[in-house]
Each structure stands twice: as structure tokens, then as C-alpha cells.
Amino acid sequence: MNMAESAGRAVLIGVRDAFTPIVRFIDLIGDHVILFARAMSWLPRRPLRPGNYLEACEYIGFGSLTIVLLVGAFTGMVMSLQSVYAFRQFQLESFAGGTTGKALAVELAPVLTALMISGRAGAGIATELGTMRISEQIDALESMAVNPVQYLVLPRLIAGMLMAPILTLLFFVIGMIGAYFVAVVGEGVDHGQFILHTRDILRPMDIIQGEIKSVVFGLLVILIGCYQGFNAHGGGRGVGLGTTRAVVFGSVVVLMSDYFLSNILLQLIPPEAT
Amino acid sequence: MSNGARLDHDGTPLDQPHPRWHVRVRGLDKSFGANHVLDHVDLDIERGKVNVVIGASGAGKSVLIKHFMVLLRPDRGSVWVDGTDVFALASKPLSSFRRKFGLVFQFSALFDSLTVEENCAFPLKEHTKKSRAEIKDIVNDRLGALGLEGTQRKYPGELSGGMRKRVGLARALVLEPEILIFDEPTTGLDPLATRNVDEMILAAVERYKVTSVVISHDMASVFRIADRIAMIHQHRILAAGTVEEIQASREPYLFEFIRTSGVAAAYGKEAAP
């Protein structure tokens, strides 16, 4: 009887331990949702502090601009180059503009921009807030009757949601310019054909789809950065770990959510409707 | 007295300001998971005096003090500040209530991206409608009173530990708080800087007529500044009273704590009780 009880208990503990990572994962998602809800609940409340929003926009948007433009240009160029060589086998190299444009608008621009924001702004925010947490600066805010979520998290989330689509659009534009130069100037594709096929394949809804995705990605990577910084503990090492997690989780979440978002958007805006 | 009023041990109503006690802590319990930190703590903070809370590292001094401003919420118990049950305050009144307090952090907690002047102006910008010129005047007054003239444009990283503490105090003072809390103000300072900080605390109490609460385990400093001392040990208040009462205490742990601090001889406590 005792043996049966012990065995039963061991099985229970084993099952519980096996599910622990899942419970932790759900817990983590819940914590992020709560942080987001807390931040948004402060949105209509005074003081509004527009300066904090501008500062966050400058940090996330302008600060990431160079790297986004650089990556955008080279992504468009390499996509165009590969497309021209692939399509040349069928004398269809003028399709390079359209395919590159479609790929950039729907996937590459929003995803790569989000990864750039995660690596630069997400990591920076995690480090900044983490340092503020361990040096009691966040407690100091609270002691001065300033809500730290309203003061630190909310402006960054809003800036993430505003700046990511702008950066994505710039990524797309610079990528298309790069693609044009490689295809038309570098590989001798006809200018008229390039433009014509780009217009045929690339639809305005593709760009809108990419923009919708980028709003979600911008929110996710900044929310993860804020969460990791806000909950940092354990000194400098803790801040470092938080920063690493912000980049890793941010990147993984962008790529995972991209699939689900694409699925939803394809249902809502079927390609034939555009 | 109205029916249903909360009465203290001495029969005075807790929900009205007490002439002597500015803060009254009653039956405070706090745990973090399995870690029990405060166990039914009762404590009185005397109005207009320097009240020092002593205890070993990790005894729960900071946790206790953080309840005063509702930076933490207890599992059980209450804190009454001038007749206000602080944990019953809703979000908005709590925000105004917190302005009664000025908190000087152990490592100053200055915003490192702001200059000294911006750090001190921060609470004024957040909570008052004063003009820039008025804010500048107040900040310069507080910095001047603490011997920090000429540091306005410096960043916290450019200041020494003692100066950072003083800037922290200047920032805490700009909103003219009623209660000043110092979290281990002398930790990590050399003896001269420690004495300077002690003098700064006494001068601030004298000049701004505030009630102050100091968390410390630096007994030399404690005896220099304290009007009242309370000791936390094993999650409870082991002893509380005036400096003389604490010095006369025969409580073994308190005696040992003071004796090993090296200042006992100055107070005639060489012998074990």
C-alpha cells in the first residue's frame, strides 16, 4: 500500500515537473499581457508627458534608422540579384522587381526591421530599465509619486508601435531602390519591364499587410525589452541576462508571431481580393 | 469619538492624528514566498524627531520602511500616518499622500541620465505648476543649503558617494516633505563622509522641521543622530525607545549588537548583562 502511494506520488511529481516549463511559459505570457494592460490603462491619464513620447520615438525610430536603411538596401539588392539570376533561366528577369517588392513588403521589411529594433532598441531598453531597477531609480520614481509604468513603459510601447511601421516603410523603399539599381543598372533588366511587373505583382494591400505586422512586431519587441528591464534583478549579471533574453525572446517571438499573423491576414485579406 | 473608530493600545483613535506619534505601525506581517520578513511588527515614529531603525543586514528594516509609503503592501497589519490608514488609500489619493515623504536611498538612486539640477527639479516638475525660474530658485536653495553649489550641471556619475547622498537629500527635500526617510545613509562612506552625512541629516531636520526615519546599522552614527531607536530582530521589534532607554537595555542581542559595533565603551557598556 505504502509502495503504491509512493509510486503514485512519484508519478504525480514527475508529471508536475514535466509540465513546469509550460506553466512557466504561460505565466510569462500572462506577465507580459498584464504589463501591457497596466501601461495602456495609463494612456488617457494625466500627466501626458509628450516629451517622454518624443524621446522614446527618437530613440527607437531615429536611433534605428541607419541600421534599418543599411540592412534594407542590401536585402533589396541581394534579393534582386538572386531573383534576376533565377528568373534569367526562363527569360523572366524583369519579374525580379515584382517578386523582390512582394517579398520585401509582406515579409522581409516587417520581420527584418523588427529584428533590427529588437537588437538595438529592445536590448537598449532592457539594459536601461534593468540598470534603473537595480540602482533603485524605479523605486525612486515610485517614491516620488510617479508611476514607473506610465513614465517608462507606456511611452516606449507607443513609440514602438508608431516607429516600427515607419521604419518598415523606409526599409521597403530603400530595399526597392537597391533592387532597382542591381536589376536595371547592374544586370541590364529593362526599366519599363521592371516597373510594369512590379506594379503587376506588388499590390498596395501587400504594403498595408506589412505595416499591420510591423505595428504588432514593434509592440512585441519593445514590450519584451521593457518587461526584461523592469523585472531585472541580481546586479550587473542580471541586467546582462535580461538584455540577452530581450533580444533572443524578441527575435523568436517576431518569427513565431509572423506565421500566425500571416495566416490571419491572409484570411482577412485574401490575395485574390487585392 | 465616533462609533467604530479604530483604537490604539492606549485608547487613542488610530484614524486621527496623534500629538506625539507621526507614524503608527500596527501588527505588520510580510512574507516573500517562504521567506518571512516581518512578524506582527508594532512601531511608533515620533513627530519632529530622528527615529532610527537598527538591525542586522537582512533583518527587514528596508522592507518595514517601504510599507510607510506603500512601496510594499503587507500580508496583514496597518500603517497609520497622521490618522490615515495608508493601505486603504486609492490610487489617486495615494499619489498625493506619497508627497508627504522624501526618501533618500542607500545608493542615492539619482537618475543617471539627468544632471544634478534636473534630478532635484524632477519632483517639482512632476507635481507642481511652478515656473522654470521658481523651480531653479528652489533647487539652488536646497543645493546651497547642503553645500552643493556649482554641481548643478554635473551628472551623478561625476560626484563622490557623499555628494550623491546630499543630492539625494536635496531631491527629497524640494517638495517640503513632512517625513524624511534615509535608507542606510552612511553605508560605504569613510568616517569623515559619514560624519558629514550625519550632520546633514541633523541640519535638515532642524531647518525643515521634518520627522525623520533613518535605517542604519552604523552604531556610531546612530548614537550621534538618534532621538529614538528601534531594533528589528527575528522579524519583530526587539526593543524601542529613547537613546537612553536603548543604552540602558539589558536585552542580550541588543547589548551584543551595540558592544560589537565598537561604540559600546563610549556608553559604558563593556560588561555583559
Side-chain angles (χ1 to χ4, degrees):
Chain A
M1 186 64 181
N2 275 344
M3 264 184 68
E5 262 180 25
S6 312
R9 193 166 294 140
V11 169
L12 270 177
I13 292 169
V15 170
R16 192 194 63 196
D17 288 353
F19 281 101
T20 300
I22 299 169
V23 173
R24 275 205 202 124
F25 179 68
I26 294 168
D27 226 25
L28 197 63
I29 294 174
D31 285 347
H32 281 81
V33 172
I34 289 167
L35 180 62
F36 174 69
R38 275 174 65 199
M40 287 302 143
S41 74
W42 281 98
L43 187 59
R45 290 194 257 176
R46 285 173 184 277
L48 298 176
R49 302 189 186 94
N52 284 16
Y53 289 86
L54 287 175
E55 210 176 294
C57 284
E58 193 269 339
Y59 179 72
I60 295 168
F62 193 71
S64 309
L65 187 61
T66 316
I67 189 165
V68 164
L69 291 181
L70 203 64
V71 173
F74 279 95
T75 305
M77 285 160 71
V78 76
M79 272 295 293
S80 181
L81 188 68
Q82 294 285 11
S83 302
V84 167
Y85 273 81
F87 284 123
R88 190 165 276 162
Q89 297 171 52
F90 314 101
Q91 281 85 49
L92 291 172
E93 56 265 44
S94 55
F95 277 73
T99 50
T100 301
K102 183 104 176 171
L104 278 175
V106 179
E107 290 298 335
L108 292 174
V111 169
L112 292 179
T113 302
L115 295 180
M116 295 300 111
I117 294 175
S118 177
R120 211 201 72 85
I125 287 168
T127 308
E128 187 185 355
L129 299 193
T131 308
M132 288 185 78
R133 168 62 76 198
I134 62 161
S135 61
E136 294 185 307
Q137 291 176 51
I138 291 180
D139 291 336
L141 274 177
E142 212 162 351
S143 77
M144 285 186 268
V146 174
N147 186 286
V149 172
Q150 185 194 22
Y151 191 85
L152 298 170
V153 178
L154 180 62
R156 287 167 169 82
L157 291 183
I158 299 294
M161 287 192 279
L162 286 175
M163 289 297 108
I166 294 173
L167 290 171
T168 298
L169 197 61
L170 291 171
F171 186 109
F172 169 73
V173 170
I174 197 85
M176 283 310 290
I177 293 170
Y180 176 86
F181 271 95
V182 168
V184 177
V185 180
E187 296 299 325
V189 174
D190 180 69
H191 161 81
Q193 292 281 309
F194 182 93
I195 299 292
L196 182 72
H197 289 305
T198 302
R199 278 189 186 160
D200 280 347
I201 297 170
L202 179 68
R203 306 296 171 95
M205 282 316 285
D206 295 330
I207 297 169
I208 291 170
Q209 201 184 123
E211 291 292 286
I212 293 170
K213 280 184 181 180
S214 68
V215 174
V216 179
F217 294 161
L219 168 67
L220 290 175
V221 294
I222 300 300
L223 180 65
I224 290 167
C226 287
Y227 178 84
Q228 291 298 337
F230 219 68
N231 293 288
H233 55 86
R237 189 165 180 270
V239 175
L241 281 173
T243 305
T244 308
R245 276 199 289 261
V247 178
V248 173
F249 290 177
S251 307
V252 171
V253 164
V254 163
L255 295 168
M256 281 169 66
S257 61
D258 184 40
Y259 170 76
F260 296 106
L261 261 178
S262 298
N263 235 325
I264 294 166
L265 289 170
L266 284 169
Q267 301 297 320
L268 292 175
I269 321 163
E272 60 271 22
T274 61
Chain B
M1 194 188 309
S2 62
N3 287 334
R6 295 279 305 271
L7 295 181
D8 204 357
H9 312 308
D10 59 1
T12 56
L14 281 164
D15 54 6
Q16 285 172 27
H18 192 282
R20 185 176 180 196
W21 308 121
H22 206 151
V23 181
R24 287 184 281 180
V25 179
R26 294 294 176 263
L28 210 65
D29 277 346
K30 181 69 182 173
S31 299
F32 295 99
N35 182 17
H36 204 55
V37 181
L38 300 177
D39 180 16
H40 209 78
V41 167
D42 284 352
L43 178 68
D44 293 310
I45 299 297
E46 191 167 356
R47 199 178 294 278
K49 302 284 186 189
V50 179
N51 301 263
V52 183
V53 181
I54 60 172
S57 301
K61 306 184 291 291
S62 298
V63 170
L64 170 63
I65 297 306
K66 281 181 176 172
H67 283 88
F68 291 10
M69 308 174 71
V70 201
L71 294 177
L72 289 173
R73 285 184 183 270
D75 302 331
R76 260 181 305 279
S78 55
V79 173
W80 301 83
V81 178
D82 267 340
T84 303
D85 179 359
V86 301
F87 302 120
L89 290 169
S91 164
K92 212 167 183 177
L94 176 60
S95 178
S96 357
F97 165 78
R98 279 186 177 143
R99 287 176 230 162
K100 281 176 183 253
F101 289 85
L103 178 54
V104 183
F105 286 83
Q106 185 174 357
F107 298 107
S108 309
L110 298 173
F111 303 125
D112 43 24
S113 57
L114 304 181
T115 62
V116 166
E117 187 173 22
E118 288 165 341
N119 261 289
C120 295
F122 185 86
L124 291 166
K125 281 183 185 162
E126 282 295 321
H127 297 302
T128 68
K129 291 190 163 56
K130 292 184 191 299
S131 67
R132 277 187 185 190
E134 285 174 304
I135 289 175
K136 198 172 176 137
D137 285 345
I138 294 169
V139 168
N140 287 340
D141 172 71
R142 299 298 187 277
L143 289 176
L146 292 164
L148 290 162
E149 300 95 342
T151 59
Q152 279 88 336
R153 302 261 165 125
K154 289 191 173 173
Y155 283 89
E158 298 173 73
L159 304 176
S160 67
M163 285 171 98
R164 276 203 292 271
K165 301 254 184 199
R166 280 187 276 162
V167 176
L169 175 58
R171 183 175 69 177
L173 283 169
V174 291
L175 283 178
E176 298 177 0
E178 294 172 22
I179 302 168
L180 260 180
I181 299 175
F182 297 86
D183 188 359
E184 307 211 7
T186 56
T187 301
L189 297 183
D190 62 66
L192 286 177
T194 298
R195 184 173 280 272
N196 282 340
V197 169
D198 290 344
E199 284 165 3
M200 168 190 94
I201 293 170
L202 293 173
V205 171
E206 176 65 26
R207 180 171 173 179
Y208 300 103
K209 308 289 177 215
V210 289
T211 299
S212 64
V213 183
V214 182
I215 300 170
S216 184
H217 42 55
D218 176 351
M219 292 312 295
S221 165
V222 170
F223 284 131
R224 268 200 295 272
I225 61 173
D227 293 309
R228 288 184 64 79
I229 299 173
M231 166 166 247
I232 299 191
H233 178 55
Q234 290 183 337
H235 326 301
R236 284 174 171 254
I237 298 292
L238 181 70
T242 61
V243 175
E244 294 73 26
E245 286 166 348
I246 292 295
Q247 283 169 2
S249 170
R250 299 287 96 181
E251 183 65 53
Y253 181 78
L254 175 60
F255 183 89
E256 189 61 17
F257 193 87
I258 297 172
R259 192 182 67 78
T260 51
S261 71
V263 295
Y267 296 93
K269 300 195 84 178
E270 302 93 326

